[in-house]
Amino acid sequence: MPPYILRSIAENGSKEQRSMALHVLSGDTTFRSLRAVPRFAAELIKKRPLAFMLAGDKQRTIFSANNAQALPGVIVRAEGSPATGDPAIDEAYDGLGLTYDFFWNVFNRNSIDDEGMPLNGTVHFGANYSNAFWDGQRMVFGDGDGELFNRFTISLDVIAHELAHGVTEDETQLIYSSQSGALNESVSDVFGSLVKQYALNQTAEGADWLIGAGLFTDRVQGVGGNPAVLRSMKEPGTGYDDPVLGRDPQPGHMDDFVNTFEDNGGVHINSGIPNKAFYLAATNIGGYAWEKAGRVWYETLLDSRLRSNDKFQRFAQLTVENAKRYKVEAEVCDAWTKVGISVPMII
């Protein structure tokens, strides 16, 4: 959950909503500090218990914190066990599985670390906790407050987004600040959207390109009569427009880049620019977005030339170079140009 949404709630919400937002913000300082120091987060991954798994085999364990904040909680569903009837438990289990399947089937990646890391999730975290996060070892989901937010297991792309932060931590460790941090967030949105599209068998043209659909309750106002969502990759800045949450501040072009010290230098805000570039690249290419555009972005994430502090320009250039092997460099170059980032095509 972007901190600027929570700050707006703390300023404009009811007494209960303000209390909820301040409570979440206080905890988020700790969790975001882990992401801001990626090498520490990567060490958490390396210190996980050893597991012996065959490549392609999922190993999921869902815990419940029972509305406390002690992690991981008690085991409520393990790999292969039947559905429980608790939506949060079953959605977390399914979401972890669908994300694993996507990375394995599309990129031949064996879990978050490509070494078969077990996927763990904790649900019912905290009392009315309105957020979800990856802490380096597991996914953690709050139940929402029921007024502004539904349960945080409800959106598959949010689950995949957070797990993708683990992939980034393992591979490139993009520094969680300013443009490199916005790239970090954008990469998670890209793979979050692709997991949803893969699960729904949607083409680039048929996808909604929305992040967090269903996460807000009906009380939160969207734009133009549409339901409110966290972000739109197709039209950044049109996710929501609400008296309590404020208006979605994401830009979709470098002309509107937001210079700010908040939100780790605008990592959730300016991610709208590379998000739009990916949407344009995927629709320029057509077909299933994970087959070419997604593969270009994934291979760029793994590219040894990508540095942890790289900015949009450098990332864009690497995507164009990686696009050559799929003969889509012109489509990728055009996408970046349309968001204000000029990338020369090297023949």
Side-chain angles (χ1 to χ4, degrees), residues 12 24 85 103 153 156 206 225 239 280 325:
N12 304 317
V24 175
F103 277 101
T153 55
L156 173 59
L280 290 169
R325 71 193 65 176

Side-chain angles (χ1 to χ4, degrees), residues 31-287:
F31 304 132
R32 293 190 191 283
S33 68
L34 291 176
R35 190 172 295 165
V37 188
R39 295 190 183 278
F40 177 72
E43 286 302 312
L44 290 177
I45 294 177
K46 293 177 182 177
K47 291 178 180 178
R48 69 186 184 281
L50 292 175
F52 298 94
M53 297 170 56
L54 295 174
D57 286 347
K58 297 182 284 289
Q59 183 175 319
R60 292 165 287 179
T61 306
I62 306 301
F63 301 79
S64 175
N66 292 320
N67 299 120
Q69 292 197 3
L71 293 172
V74 298
I75 295 177
V76 289
R77 190 174 178 186
E79 185 63 45
S81 61
T84 66
D86 181 319
I89 295 171
D90 297 333
E91 287 168 352
Y93 181 88
D94 292 342
L96 294 179
L98 288 166
T99 304
Y100 179 95
D101 290 344
F102 170 82
F103 277 101
W104 173 250
N105 293 331
V106 176
F107 302 129
N108 199 34
R109 185 181 185 88
N110 187 14
S111 193
I112 298 303
D113 61 350
D114 202 19
E115 297 177 8
M117 178 182 181
L119 296 179
N120 298 325
T122 296
V123 299
H124 303 310
F125 177 80
N128 299 323
Y129 184 76
S130 296
N131 214 342
F133 58 89
W134 164 260
D135 73 352
Q137 293 180 298
R138 65 184 63 83
M139 277 295 307
V140 181
F141 304 94
D143 290 327
D145 64 344
E147 293 188 7
L148 299 174
F149 300 100
N150 292 312
R151 62 186 181 276
F152 275 72
T153 55
I154 203 168
S155 294
L156 173 59
D157 45 40
V158 169
I159 296 174
H161 169 107
E162 293 298 334
L163 289 173
H165 278 304
V167 176
T168 299
E169 287 170 6
D170 186 68
E171 294 294 348
T172 60
Q173 302 178 1
L174 285 165
I175 295 172
Y176 202 66
S177 177
S178 302
Q179 287 195 27
S180 60
L183 285 170
N184 191 316
E185 279 295 325
S186 178
V187 165
S188 278
D189 275 354
V190 164
F191 292 119
S193 184
L194 289 181
V195 168
K196 181 173 73 171
Q197 292 175 37
Y198 184 79
L200 296 175
N201 194 34
Q202 294 176 329
T203 63
E205 295 83 356
D208 63 14
W209 295 98
L210 302 176
I211 303 295
L215 189 59
F216 292 119
T217 68
D218 292 340
R219 299 185 186 186
V220 179
Q221 296 178 20
V223 175
N226 295 315
V229 297
L230 280 178
R231 292 178 289 278
S232 169
M233 298 180 69
K234 180 179 180 179
E235 294 293 343
T238 64
Y240 56 89
D241 187 4
D242 183 78
V244 176
L245 274 68
R247 185 178 177 88
D248 181 358
Q250 278 205 316
H253 194 279
M254 285 300 291
D255 287 349
D256 302 311
F257 184 90
V258 178
N259 291 295
T260 178
F261 288 108
E262 295 185 4
D263 185 32
N264 285 80
V267 298
H268 290 91
I269 298 173
N270 293 312
S271 60
I273 296 170
N275 274 4
K276 179 92 181 246
F278 182 81
Y279 158 77
L280 290 169
T283 51
N284 282 348
I285 295 167

